[in-house]
Amino acid sequence: MSILEAAHIEKHFGATRVLNDISFSLEQGQALSIIGSSGSGKTTLLRCLNFLEKPDGGSISVNGNVIFDAADPATQLEKEIRKKRLHFGLVFQNFNLFPQYTALQNVTLARELMAKESGGESRESILAAGRELLSQMGLADRAEHYPHQLSGGQQQRVAIARALAMHPDILCFDEPTSALDPELTGEVLRVIRHLAEQKTTMIIVTHEMAFARDVADQVIFMDGGVIVEQGDPHQVIDHPKEERTRQFLSHYAEN
């Protein structure tokens, strides 16, 4: 059974249709890369999966359970949205760390808030888990540093640790290196590559074609709000069947 089934997802902003009949599935432990030019709908798709945007059509199922169906108001209750977001950890382009909190506090804040509401984990165990995640990101010695004291690559690795802290079913990356200088890009890609090797289930929106080819189990190419081509990364990137895919990759190679 697929861990994620997205079926016929639609999203409109006014008269503009940003997502048109988007359907795909993802297996446990797979990495999916989504490629395409700016404005093709990639980020909007991630935001719909994470319920930062409400889809106008279609359905989303996680682990066989329908968590959203545009035809069923019972799946759209506002009070349930936060629970549904727990299925998806989202790493943003621009880190989105709280500047007033240390790296460790950024990682543990959401879990601490949830523990206060539910009376669950102790603060000590949450902090210990947060320190372990920072260690896994190579940031054990940066736990008490504030975002302004960290490089862009270090901030993005804190953001990855923060997303992992909630134990999401699926970890989503929205162009995680686009705000980084070239010399810092490699350190973030190495972390994502390691997560792929550990069979972390991921969706990665990226312009790093070589990375998508080497790391992903499947690739989706989007253009104009539709999926033009999807399949094995070597087939889609090295031997695309669709002319629009070939044009995009040719333009990318030229730049």
Side-chain angles (χ1 to χ4, degrees):
M1 181 184 294
S2 299
I3 190 171
L4 172 65
E5 292 276 356
H8 310 295
I9 301 298
E10 302 272 345
K11 181 61 185 176
H12 309 148
F13 292 114
T16 303
R17 179 174 291 185
V18 181
L19 298 177
N20 183 15
D21 197 23
I22 300 294
S23 297
F24 66 94
S25 62
L26 185 62
E27 300 295 323
Q28 177 78 44
Q30 280 193 333
L32 164 67
S33 285
I34 303 178
I35 61 174
S37 59
S38 297
S40 60
K42 307 182 303 296
T43 293
T44 300
L45 176 57
L46 287 191
R47 290 177 64 86
C48 284
L49 292 176
N50 197 53
F51 300 102
L52 293 172
E53 301 286 353
K54 180 183 174 183
D56 295 309
S59 64
I60 300 168
S61 299
V62 176
N63 290 318
N65 298 313
V66 177
I67 64 171
F68 175 85
D69 185 342
D72 182 2
T75 67
Q76 302 171 41
L77 299 177
E78 190 65 31
K79 65 180 182 180
E80 299 295 323
I81 293 298
R82 189 167 70 170
K83 292 180 183 177
K84 294 177 181 182
R85 284 182 181 150
L86 294 176
H87 293 292
F88 300 91
L90 181 56
V91 179
F92 298 89
Q93 295 181 27
N94 295 307
F95 325 139
N96 284 23
L97 300 181
F98 293 106
Q100 71 273 32
Y101 295 139
T102 66
L104 180 60
Q105 289 171 326
N106 268 280
V107 171
T108 62
L109 178 62
R111 278 180 68 173
E112 289 192 66
L113 291 174
M114 288 185 64
K116 286 181 180 178
E117 292 179 1
S118 64
E121 293 178 278
S122 69
R123 186 168 186 269
E124 290 74 17
S125 67
I126 293 172
L127 291 175
R131 290 186 184 279
E132 175 59 27
L133 281 169
L134 287 174
S135 179
Q136 292 175 20
M137 297 296 117
L139 297 171
D141 60 344
R142 296 291 189 269
E144 303 306 325
H145 286 59
Y146 290 87
H148 74 273
Q149 297 173 310
L150 303 172
S151 70
Q154 290 170 336
Q155 289 185 61
Q156 192 62 297
R157 283 184 280 158
V158 172
I160 294 171
R162 176 179 61 186
L164 287 169
M166 301 307 295
H167 304 295
D169 293 296
I170 302 153
L171 187 58
C172 301
F173 295 89
D174 185 12
E175 297 188 14
T177 62
S178 64
L180 299 177
D181 295 331
E183 62 269 22
L184 298 177
T185 294
E187 64 186 61
V188 173
L189 294 182
R190 282 192 293 274
V191 168
I192 301 173
R193 186 184 299 272
H194 180 64
L195 291 170
E197 290 169 352
Q198 293 180 314
K199 298 300 181 182
T200 304
T201 308
M202 297 186 292
I203 299 174
I204 309 161
V205 168
T206 183
H207 282 109
E208 304 285 343
M209 294 300 121
F211 179 77
R213 181 197 298 113
D214 294 341
V215 172
D217 296 286
Q218 60 172 312
V219 169
I220 286 174
F221 168 60
M222 291 183 63
D223 185 46
V226 302
I227 293 178
V228 176
E229 191 163 354
Q230 60 182 309
D232 174 89
H234 296 284
Q235 178 259 303
V236 173
I237 295 175
D238 295 331
H239 306 287
K241 297 177 180 178
E242 301 296 330
E243 179 61 26
R244 275 195 282 178
T245 315
R246 290 194 288 270
Q247 289 179 356
F248 166 76
L249 292 168
S250 174
H251 177 76
Y252 176 86
E254 292 172 358
N255 290 278

